[in-house]
Amino acid sequence: MKIVAIGRNYAEHIAELKNEVPDEPVIFFKPDTAILRNNEPFYYPDYTSDVHHEVELILRISREGKNIDRKFARKYYDGIGLGIDFTARDLQAKAKAKGLPWALAKGFNGSAPVSEFLPVGQFPDLRQINFRLEVNGVAKQQGNSAMMLHPFEDIIAYVSRFITLKTGDIIFTGTPAGVGPVQIGDRLEGYVEDRKLLDFEVK
Ligand code: MG
């Protein structure tokens, strides 16, 4: 399986990192070795000293598809969950300065904690999903799917023009404002609406 991730999908987050608003979705990948499940702890790696949390709604692809029309995109995912797109901001800044890819800054081991998935049918309105991240009990990031520049169906249509989506793939849909560093000892708790889906520690 693969993880496809969207960068710069919330205007306020683009502003906080002083990036430009892209015309088209910014796409990158994480390898399957980045995944942490079942609230396993995240072990802070030794090659970075600036790991940031980015909480994101994630989609579970349930059907193979390419060139998916946005009208039918809804048929290609069956679960919505919460993920953290851990980013080694120092490595990313170095890569960005040289115009090089973000692969290591975004794809290192453990950089993709993912929650269980809730059935899509449980959500009355996919354009109104609230989610948030608390670090040590303090709310750090709050988002709503209404704030996305490219909503779920646009992401699926766009990505599948280039890359076939397969059952079991996961899409990270971008982070709202409020990203920031994590430290060893932190406890991260993530909610979709009032359901706590993530609860793990940084070690
Ligand atoms: Mg992200």
Side-chain angles (χ1 to χ4, degrees), residues 6-7 13 28 54 56 85 87 106 174-175:
I6 314 304
H13 170 61
F28 59 94
E54 297 191 356
E56 313 198 358
D85 168 19
T87 303
K106 291 283 197 179
T175 197

Side-chain angles (χ1 to χ4, degrees), residues 18-187:
K18 299 184 170 59
N19 286 316
E20 282 176 25
V21 177
D23 305 333
E24 292 178 316
V26 175
I27 307 297
F28 59 94
F29 297 97
K30 289 171 180 278
D32 58 2
T33 43
I35 292 179
L36 297 176
R37 294 188 196 271
N38 305 314
N39 288 313
E40 291 171 290
F42 168 73
Y43 287 93
Y44 203 109
D46 61 6
Y47 40 73
T48 169
S49 52
D50 196 21
V51 174
H52 279 205
H53 56 75
E54 297 191 356
V55 70
E56 313 198 358
L57 291 172
I58 59 175
L59 308 177
R60 179 178 61 198
I61 298 297
S62 54
R63 204 172 142 181
E64 184 167 319
K66 55 179 159 185
N67 277 316
I68 300 166
D69 190 295
R70 62 192 301 287
K71 285 201 297 287
F72 304 119
R74 167 63 194 86
K75 296 183 191 302
Y76 287 81
Y77 62 100
D78 67 353
I80 296 175
L82 207 56
I84 307 290
D85 168 19
F86 274 132
T87 303
R89 201 67 78 196
D90 44 0
L91 300 187
Q92 188 192 32
K94 226 193 265 179
K96 279 163 84 172
K98 294 182 185 165
L100 293 173
W102 305 350
L104 296 178
K106 291 283 197 179
F108 58 88
N109 286 339
S111 63
V114 298
S115 74
E116 62 179 301
F117 287 88
L118 305 174
V120 175
Q122 281 189 10
F123 294 88
D125 185 352
L126 298 177
R127 297 279 186 104
Q128 283 294 340
I129 302 174
N130 286 295
F131 63 103
R132 70 180 195 276
L133 177 71
E134 296 181 1
V135 180
N136 303 323
V138 178
K140 293 287 186 182
Q141 291 190 265
Q142 288 187 321
N144 183 294
S145 56
M147 297 154 61
M148 300 172 73
L149 301 177
H150 303 285
F152 299 155
E153 62 271 25
D154 287 7
I155 296 170
I156 286 176
Y158 182 79
V159 170
S160 70
R161 282 172 57 200
F162 304 88
I163 298 153
T164 300
L165 295 173
K166 297 176 85 169
T167 302
D169 289 350
I170 295 174
I171 298 187
F172 274 62
T173 63
T175 197
V179 302
V182 296
Q183 315 292 344
I184 291 172
D186 283 349
R187 178 179 180 188

